[in-house]
Amino acid sequence: MALDRDQLERIATEKVADGRTWAKRRTIAEWAGRKKVSSADLDEIQEVLEAAGIGLYPTPLRLREPDDTVRISCGDSPEVGLEFGSEAELREFLLTHHKRLHPLARLDSLKPEVRVPFDDSYVVVDLVGTESRGVVVIELKLGDGYYKIGSQIRRYIEAMELEEAKRASPRRVRGVVITGSENPYEEAEICGWAEDNGSRVDWYYSCLMLKLTEAQPSQTTGP
């Protein structure tokens, strides 16, 4: 069956307009009127989407089926904002402005790069906050964090829970992940782990936005 290029372009554009950012390759093939696709088919699909101004990118995720998921986006996305230049820059920004950011505004304190003993060694948590009867361990990553972010936040929570168990009144421990973009596979993995272990992990996306407003001439009247 020939590739229905017009149908693929139209449907993909509609999906992006509706906010769709991830799709299985087999789903994209169905958009194109194909039930099975070869490498050549995928190359042709990518050419069609790119010609329409829609990017098709393999994800750098640890997938059960390699290259089974792709990310689609329509040109540049200025509404997403700019990514921070480094994790250190993001960390310093959060330390300075966390009280202005709703997810972190209720923290009583926030400390950077906290060492927590774990498995005869230690882990270094990017940020550790305290709240009413609780401790918050925060993992920061630029981009989507790849596949490492899930194992890191789990170690942080487990290490902090062991430390809290030594206290007369252990505080609850929850995790926060902050990345520069989506990582649906790791998000699902962490969500499943948290549910199985009775833990809580919140995931947020960071971006840097600056709005410049043109100065208006002063309205003064003469004598």
Side-chain angles (χ1 to χ4, degrees):
M1 180 185 294
L3 173 67
D4 191 333
R5 301 171 72 94
D6 291 338
Q7 178 183 357
L8 173 61
E9 179 180 330
R10 175 179 56 79
I11 295 179
T13 302
E14 290 174 355
K15 295 294 185 182
V16 171
D18 290 341
R20 178 76 170 267
T21 56
W22 296 86
K24 294 287 186 180
R25 285 187 184 273
R26 65 177 68 94
T27 302
I28 293 178
E30 290 173 359
W31 295 351
R34 299 275 185 90
K35 291 187 176 180
K36 293 184 178 180
V37 291
S38 64
S39 295
D41 293 330
L42 292 174
D43 289 342
E44 186 177 4
I45 289 173
Q46 182 162 346
E47 289 177 4
V48 173
L49 294 179
E50 288 180 347
I54 301 172
L56 179 66
Y57 308 99
T59 67
L61 305 181
R62 179 188 59 193
L63 297 171
R64 294 186 177 87
E65 299 178 31
D67 296 328
D68 190 43
T69 306
V70 294
R71 179 170 185 169
I72 55 176
S73 62
C74 191
D76 295 330
S77 301
E79 71 279 1
V80 174
L82 302 174
E83 188 172 34
F84 284 85
S86 67
E87 289 178 20
E89 180 182 340
L90 173 57
R91 183 174 61 246
E92 290 304 314
F93 185 91
L94 294 175
L95 284 169
T96 303
H97 302 290
H98 71 274
K99 286 294 185 181
R100 296 174 177 267
L101 302 171
H102 176 68
L104 306 178
R106 294 186 178 181
L107 294 181
D108 298 320
S109 67
L110 192 61
K111 296 181 179 180
E113 298 185 298
V114 177
R115 291 191 178 193
V116 182
F118 190 59
D119 283 347
D120 297 325
S121 183
Y122 61 86
V123 295
V124 180
V125 185
D126 291 335
L127 292 168
V128 173
T130 59
E131 57 188 1
S132 177
R133 297 186 300 279
V135 181
V136 184
V137 291
I138 303 174
E139 169 66 2
L140 308 176
K141 279 287 183 289
L142 301 183
D144 63 14
Y146 297 95
Y147 63 85
K148 298 179 180 179
I149 198 163
S151 58
Q152 284 183 308
I153 194 63
R154 290 196 295 270
R155 286 200 305 273
Y156 293 169
I157 292 174
E158 291 168 355
M160 188 61 74
E161 285 178 338
L162 289 174
E163 283 300 289
E164 286 299 309
K166 300 174 183 178
R167 296 169 56 98
S169 299
R171 296 168 294 182
R172 67 176 183 272
V173 179
R174 67 180 178 94
V176 170
V177 174
I178 301 176
T179 61
S181 59
E182 299 171 329
N183 188 330
Y185 181 79
E186 285 296 297
E187 290 177 43
E189 288 284 294
I190 292 174
C191 180
W193 174 84
E195 290 180 356
D196 291 342
N197 290 272
S199 301
R200 173 182 169 185
V201 179
D202 299 316
W203 192 304
Y204 302 99
Y205 308 126
S206 68
C207 68
L208 182 62
M209 302 187 74
L210 175 67
K211 181 179 181 180
L212 299 180
T213 304
E214 184 177 4
Q216 299 297 319
S218 60
Q219 309 239 340
T220 60
T221 57

Coordinates of all heavy atoms in Angstrom, one line a residue, residues 1 7 13 25 32 41 62 83 85 101 107 114 117 127 142-143 153 159 161 164 173 175 187 194 200 219 223:
M1 N 0.8 -1.2 0.0 CA 0.0 0.0 0.0 C 0.9 1.2 0.0 O 1.8 1.3 0.8 CB -0.9 0.0 1.2 CG -1.8 1.2 1.3 SD -2.8 1.3 2.8 CE -3.8 -0.2 2.6
Q7 N -2.5 12.4 3.9 CA -3.3 12.0 5.1 C -2.3 12.1 6.3 O -2.7 12.6 7.4 CB -3.8 10.6 4.9 CG -4.5 10.1 6.2 CD -4.9 8.6 6.0 OE1 -4.8 8.0 5.0 NE2 -5.5 8.1 7.1
T13 N -0.4 16.9 11.8 CA -0.5 18.4 12.2 C -1.7 18.5 13.2 O -1.6 19.3 14.1 CB -0.8 19.2 10.9 OG1 0.2 19.0 10.0 CG2 -1.0 20.7 11.2
R25 N 5.6 4.3 16.9 CA 5.9 4.3 15.5 C 4.7 3.6 14.7 O 4.4 4.0 13.6 CB 7.2 3.6 15.2 CG 8.4 4.4 15.6 CD 9.7 3.7 15.1 NE 10.9 4.5 15.5 CZ 11.4 5.4 14.8 NH1 10.9 5.8 13.6 NH2 12.5 6.1 15.2
A32 N -0.5 6.9 8.4 CA -0.1 6.9 7.0 C -0.8 5.9 6.2 O -0.5 5.7 5.0 CB 1.4 6.8 6.9
D41 N 10.2 2.8 5.1 CA 8.9 3.5 5.3 C 9.0 4.6 6.3 O 8.5 5.7 6.2 CB 7.8 2.5 5.8 CG 7.5 1.4 4.7 OD1 7.5 1.8 3.6 OD2 7.1 0.3 5.1
R62 N 15.3 4.3 27.7 CA 15.5 2.9 27.7 C 14.1 2.2 27.5 O 13.3 2.1 28.4 CB 16.0 2.5 29.1 CG 16.3 1.0 29.4 CD 16.6 0.8 30.8 NE 15.5 1.3 31.7 CZ 15.6 1.4 33.0 NH1 16.8 1.2 33.6 NH2 14.6 1.9 33.7
E83 N 15.8 26.5 28.0 CA 16.3 25.6 29.1 C 17.4 26.2 29.8 O 18.2 27.0 29.2 CB 16.7 24.3 28.4 CG 17.1 23.2 29.5 CD 17.4 21.9 28.8 OE1 17.9 21.8 27.7 OE2 17.0 20.8 29.5
G85 N 21.0 26.7 31.4 CA 22.3 26.4 30.8 C 23.0 25.2 31.5 O 23.8 24.5 30.9
L101 N 7.7 29.8 43.5 CA 7.2 28.7 42.7 C 6.3 27.9 43.4 O 6.7 27.3 44.5 CB 8.5 27.9 42.2 CG 9.5 28.7 41.5 CD1 10.8 27.9 41.2 CD2 9.0 29.2 40.1
L107 N 7.9 24.9 51.3 CA 9.0 24.4 51.9 C 9.5 25.3 53.0 O 9.6 26.5 52.8 CB 10.1 24.1 50.9 CG 9.9 23.0 49.9 CD1 11.1 22.8 49.0 CD2 9.5 21.7 50.6
V114 N 23.2 17.8 49.3 CA 23.2 17.2 50.7 C 23.7 15.8 50.6 O 23.1 15.0 49.8 CB 21.8 17.3 51.3 CG1 21.9 16.6 52.7 CG2 21.4 18.7 51.5
P117 N 24.1 9.2 53.8 CA 24.7 7.8 53.8 C 23.8 6.8 53.1 O 22.6 6.8 53.3 CB 24.8 7.5 55.3 CG 24.9 8.9 56.0 CD 24.0 9.7 55.2
L127 N 18.9 18.8 45.9 CA 18.3 19.7 46.8 C 17.5 18.9 47.8 O 16.9 17.9 47.5 CB 17.4 20.7 46.1 CG 18.0 21.7 45.2 CD1 16.9 22.4 44.3 CD2 18.7 22.8 46.0
L142 N 18.8 18.5 33.3 CA 18.5 19.2 32.0 C 17.9 18.1 31.0 O 18.1 16.9 31.2 CB 19.8 19.8 31.4 CG 20.5 20.8 32.3 CD1 21.7 21.4 31.6 CD2 19.6 21.9 32.8
G143 N 17.2 18.6 30.0 CA 16.6 17.7 29.1 C 15.6 16.8 29.8 O 14.9 17.2 30.7
I153 N 16.3 9.0 41.8 CA 15.3 9.5 42.8 C 14.9 8.4 43.7 O 14.7 8.7 44.9 CB 14.1 10.1 42.0 CG1 13.2 10.9 43.0 CG2 13.2 9.0 41.4 CD1 13.9 12.1 43.6
A159 N 17.6 6.3 50.7 CA 18.6 6.7 51.6 C 18.1 7.6 52.7 O 18.4 7.5 53.8 CB 19.7 7.4 50.8
E161 N 15.0 7.8 53.7 CA 14.1 7.1 54.6 C 14.9 6.3 55.7 O 14.5 6.2 56.8 CB 13.2 6.1 53.8 CG 12.1 6.8 53.1 CD 11.3 5.9 52.2 OE1 11.8 4.8 51.9 OE2 10.1 6.2 51.9
E164 N 15.9 8.8 58.3 CA 14.8 9.2 59.1 C 14.4 8.1 60.1 O 13.9 8.4 61.2 CB 13.6 9.5 58.2 CG 13.7 10.9 57.4 CD 13.8 12.0 58.4 OE1 13.0 12.2 59.3 OE2 14.8 12.8 58.3
V173 N 9.0 11.0 53.8 CA 10.0 11.4 52.7 C 9.2 11.3 51.4 O 8.6 10.3 51.1 CB 11.2 10.5 52.7 CG1 12.2 11.0 51.5 CG2 12.0 10.6 54.0
G175 N 9.6 12.5 47.0 CA 10.6 12.9 46.0 C 10.0 13.9 45.0 O 8.7 13.9 44.8
E187 N 8.7 8.5 33.6 CA 7.6 9.0 34.5 C 6.7 7.8 34.9 O 6.3 7.7 36.0 CB 6.8 10.1 33.8 CG 7.6 11.4 33.6 CD 6.8 12.4 32.8 OE1 5.6 12.5 33.0 OE2 7.3 13.1 31.9
A194 N 6.5 4.2 42.9 CA 6.0 4.9 44.0 C 4.7 4.3 44.5 O 4.5 4.1 45.8 CB 5.7 6.4 43.6
R200 N 5.7 8.9 47.4 CA 5.2 9.9 46.5 C 6.3 10.6 45.8 O 7.3 11.0 46.4 CB 4.4 11.0 47.4 CG 4.0 12.2 46.6 CD 3.3 13.2 47.4 NE 3.1 14.5 46.7 CZ 2.6 15.6 47.3 NH1 2.2 15.5 48.6 NH2 2.5 16.7 46.6
Q219 N 3.5 60.5 29.7 CA 2.5 61.4 29.2 C 2.5 62.6 30.0 O 1.9 62.7 31.1 CB 1.2 60.6 29.3 CG 1.2 59.3 28.6 CD 0.3 59.1 27.5 OE1 -0.7 59.8 27.5 NE2 0.5 58.2 26.6
P223 N 3.1 73.5 29.8 CA 2.4 74.6 30.6 C 1.2 75.1 29.8 O 1.2 75.1 28.6 CB 3.5 75.6 30.8 CG 4.5 75.3 29.7 CD 4.4 73.9 29.4

